Amino acid sequence: MLKELWDKYKSIVAYLFWGVVTTIVNLATFQILSSGIHWNYEVATVIAWFVSVLVAYFTNKVWVFGSHYTTVSDFIAEIFRFFFYRALTLVIDIVITFVGISVLGFKDPLGQFIVKVIDNVIVIVANYIFSKWLIFNNNKKIENK
């Protein structure tokens, strides 16, 4: 019974684990840049996004979805899809941080951090949906041929 549950949910468990790691990378990078060295929060958001997407791509590729492309062109197509869909969630990220910080006024470090935590939960769910059905799904179709 436990093995059946593990087999059924192992990609979700792995995604959640690596999602936490990626979120920590995102939040830490954002906090260091925005509160630590006082960069503009929009710039800090974009840099935190880029760093966390690099971490997410390689962890998702290897440990979550087990992508095993063998050609360079397939790898390039996969990483392009990954960054494309992550760019869509970057737009969500920027909108949420703008609304939370500039519109709603959560401008102090704790307020910014709370906004980023809420933001990351929404972004993680969107990223899982994109990864599961639009990015790494094509790899499974190729392997089954």
Side-chain angles (χ1 to χ4, degrees):
M1 179 174 152
L2 285 176
K3 180 165 176 20
E4 290 172 10
L5 285 173
W6 173 251
D7 289 341
K8 185 174 181 179
Y9 296 109
K10 70 181 174 185
S11 73
I12 293 173
V13 171
Y15 185 82
L16 290 174
F17 173 79
W18 291 110
V20 168
V21 170
T22 302
T23 300
I24 291 168
V25 168
N26 185 285
L27 293 172
T29 304
F30 178 81
Q31 283 300 109
I32 289 167
L33 296 175
S34 69
S35 298
I37 58 177
H38 306 289
W39 284 11
N40 177 282
Y41 76 86
E42 288 105 343
V43 172
T45 296
V46 172
I47 293 171
W49 170 82
F50 184 77
V51 171
S52 62
V53 168
L54 284 176
V55 170
Y57 175 71
F58 290 107
T59 58
N60 278 240
K61 178 177 182 51
V62 175
W63 292 299
V64 177
F65 298 106
S67 175
H68 302 289
Y69 281 129
T70 56
T71 68
V72 172
S73 63
D74 287 340
F75 173 76
I76 290 170
E78 179 183 79
I79 200 167
F80 175 80
R81 283 192 311 271
F82 193 85
F83 270 84
F84 173 78
Y85 286 109
R86 288 307 197 267
L88 289 180
T89 59
L90 173 61
V91 172
I92 295 169
D93 191 350
I94 290 169
V95 168
I96 291 170
T97 55
F98 175 77
V99 169
I101 295 168
S102 293
V103 176
L104 298 177
F106 292 98
K107 296 182 185 210
D108 62 283
L110 179 60
Q112 288 183 6
F113 184 76
I114 291 168
V115 169
K116 286 300 290 179
V117 168
I118 293 167
D119 167 47
N120 271 271
V121 169
I122 294 166
V123 167
I124 286 170
V125 171
N127 284 337
Y128 182 79
I129 291 167
F130 290 148
S131 293
K132 177 100 173 141
W133 286 288
L134 300 173
I135 299 166
F136 297 108
N137 189 26
N138 291 337
N139 185 275
K140 289 181 175 60
K141 289 177 187 171
I142 290 169
E143 288 176 358
N144 291 334
K145 285 185 179 180

